[in-house]
Amino acid sequence: MEFAEQRRAMVELLREQQEISDRVAGALLAVPRHLFVPGVAPEDAYRDEPIVTKRDDAGLPISSSSQPAIMAIMLDQLGVEPGQRVLEIGAGTGYNAALLAHLVGPSGRVVSVDIDDGIVTQARRHLSAAGVSQVEVVCADGAQGHAGPAPYDRLIATVGVWDLAPAWLEQLGADGRLVAPLDLRGVQASVALERDGDRWASRSVAPCGFMRMRGPFAGPEVVAVLRRDPDLMLALPEPREVGDVPAALDAVPVEIAVKEMGPAHAASFSLWLALHEPRWCALSGKLGRGYGMSVGLVEGDSIALLAPEGSHLARGKGATGAGVAAQGHGPGGAGLAAELAGHVRAWDEAGRPDMSALRVAAYRNPAPVTGGETVVRKHHTTLVLSFS
């Protein structure tokens, strides 16, 4: 099979880094990703990296083939079985729909919905080229789902969602499961939810990062393109004024050393910071020597970010030390770095609560008033967050 060796190498690398079920690994081995990103060299198509496939007029990425590691996590969260009906929100290149089609088998059905007719046409073309026939790609607002084949056994959103659309909950069967990159005050977490009495309760939570949903159901998040080629973007949980952040990032940072944290810890700290700090921000794109994301605080013409000691993220300068630092850029950068370091200390003293220990309960509005937990109110649902 063409490029089978590249797929095998990709799956082996993923399995070294994370747990992947045999069924999901089998789908990744069987489905040729390179056919879904025809403008990309095949050797690049099988890297564990997202591939941007469409941008808006401002240069902001609005569609992509997601990072395979994240796709594998979410597919395992979804727990698709042969013969099931699956609704996908966000068609993208069609690659994830093809993986779903492999998992449901010839007796199952996959419906993928996207608001962008150009993306729909592209996904259909790619699926046809890959010989995948049991996927229906529909051009419509994903917030409305697709009622025709309902009820569905599984629903997965491959775009960042701010709220749970009522149509999704109504179109899922009694034993259905929903997996979505859910916004938690600006931080995304892939949350698997099932019905639990009068609410939806999480069965698993994992860090993730997706382009946000467009259309009437979009949330208040703001993503600004700071630089093109290579990309550098600033994300805020809601609209607010910031200053000349690109100029601040060009300045040599002030560093305050903080305690070490690995990738899993960094994701958990991001959630902690978002729940405790209204000036939270995330910088993503080409950082240092590769693509990634860093969280921090932004105010006026200044920004502070977590980064390897001795690095300069915006300039692509590699680290010279082995630790982690709160780096402040711009005229108020030193003060923001000190505040960011304080948040790291508070998170550390709280026992470094991990995102995998997060429990999410979603109630249809109006929701009960609770105490002692974090409550995030949306338009249609209220989320109650707690750590086990």
Side-chain angles (χ1 to χ4, degrees):
M1 188 183 297
E2 193 178 15
F3 298 106
E5 184 57 40
Q6 285 84 349
R7 286 196 289 285
R8 188 159 37 251
M10 179 184 74
V11 172
E12 287 177 358
L13 176 63
L14 293 177
R15 295 193 109 170
E16 289 174 3
Q17 299 171 343
Q18 65 193 62
E19 289 188 17
I20 301 176
S21 69
D22 290 341
R23 295 196 68 239
V24 169
L28 291 168
L29 287 169
V31 177
R33 190 187 189 205
H34 69 279
L35 295 182
F36 294 85
V37 284
V40 176
E43 57 269 26
D44 294 330
Y46 293 104
R47 298 183 192 279
D48 183 29
E49 295 178 355
I51 299 172
V52 174
T53 55
K54 187 170 183 176
R55 299 175 184 271
D56 65 12
D57 292 340
L60 184 68
I62 57 175
S63 188
S64 71
S65 179
S66 302
Q67 183 182 3
I70 299 298
M71 299 173 78
I73 289 170
M74 293 180 69
L75 289 172
D76 271 325
Q77 285 184 292
L78 195 62
V80 176
E81 298 293 340
Q84 289 187 330
R85 294 182 180 186
V86 181
L87 176 62
E88 179 188 47
I89 309 301
T93 65
Y95 177 55
N96 195 67
L99 295 173
L100 290 167
H102 182 88
L103 292 169
V104 301
S107 62
R109 182 173 183 181
V110 177
V111 178
S112 185
V113 181
D114 203 288
I115 199 171
D116 189 315
D117 58 355
I119 289 174
V120 167
T121 299
Q122 167 188 267
R124 289 172 178 164
R125 184 185 307 120
H126 296 162
L127 288 162
S128 176
V132 179
S133 59
Q134 71 269 43
V135 175
E136 178 186 3
V137 187
V138 178
C139 186
D141 183 357
Q144 304 306 316
H146 188 60
Y152 296 96
D153 302 290
R154 298 288 187 265
L155 186 151
I156 182 169
T158 56
V159 290
V161 302
W162 187 73
D163 199 358
L164 298 176
W168 302 347
L169 308 183
E170 292 163 2
Q171 291 171 19
L172 269 170
D175 297 322
R177 181 182 300 172
L178 181 154
V179 174
L182 190 55
D183 178 275
L184 306 175
R185 291 189 178 166
V187 170
Q188 286 184 2
S190 178
V191 183
L193 294 157
E194 293 180 354
R195 284 186 175 87
D196 181 20
D198 64 346
R199 65 178 190 167
W200 287 74
S202 63
R203 301 302 181 219
S204 63
V205 179
C208 69
F210 278 80
M211 296 172 191
R212 307 290 179 155
M213 196 167 186
R214 292 184 284 160
F217 208 71
E221 311 92 359
V222 175
V223 180
V225 178
L226 302 184
R227 186 185 67 199
R228 291 286 307 276
D229 194 27
D231 290 324
L232 193 64
M233 292 169 288
L234 182 71
L236 304 173
E238 57 191 11
R240 60 188 174 93
E241 289 294 326
V242 296
D244 191 353
V245 175
L249 287 168
D250 281 338
V252 176
V254 174
E255 287 196 340
I256 300 175
V258 298
K259 290 195 174 182
E260 280 289 345
M261 58 177 75
H265 283 142
S268 298
F269 175 71
S270 298
L271 178 61
W272 171 276
L273 188 64
L275 296 179
H276 291 84
E277 176 56 74
R279 296 170 297 169
W280 176 90
C281 70
L283 190 73
S284 62
K286 184 67 165 59
L287 301 178
R289 297 176 180 176
Y291 282 83
M293 184 185 79
S294 180
V295 299
L297 307 176
V298 63
E299 186 174 36
D301 291 324
S302 304
I303 188 170
L305 299 162
L306 287 183
E309 283 185 292
S311 66
H312 191 157
L313 294 181
R315 289 186 177 179
K317 178 185 175 184
T320 58
V324 178
Q327 293 186 347
H329 301 256
L336 287 181
E339 291 186 71
L340 181 58
H343 281 293
V344 175
R345 286 193 298 273
W347 168 73
D348 187 64
E349 291 167 1
R352 297 192 166 198
D354 189 80
M355 189 179 285
S356 64
L358 179 67
R359 299 294 176 264
V360 180
Y363 295 86
R364 298 285 289 268
N365 289 335
V369 176
T370 61
E373 296 139 324
T374 300
V375 176
V376 181
R377 299 193 182 278
K378 309 283 188 173
H379 293 316
H380 299 284
T381 57
T382 292
L383 307 181
V384 179
L385 313 180
S386 60
F387 287 92
S388 60

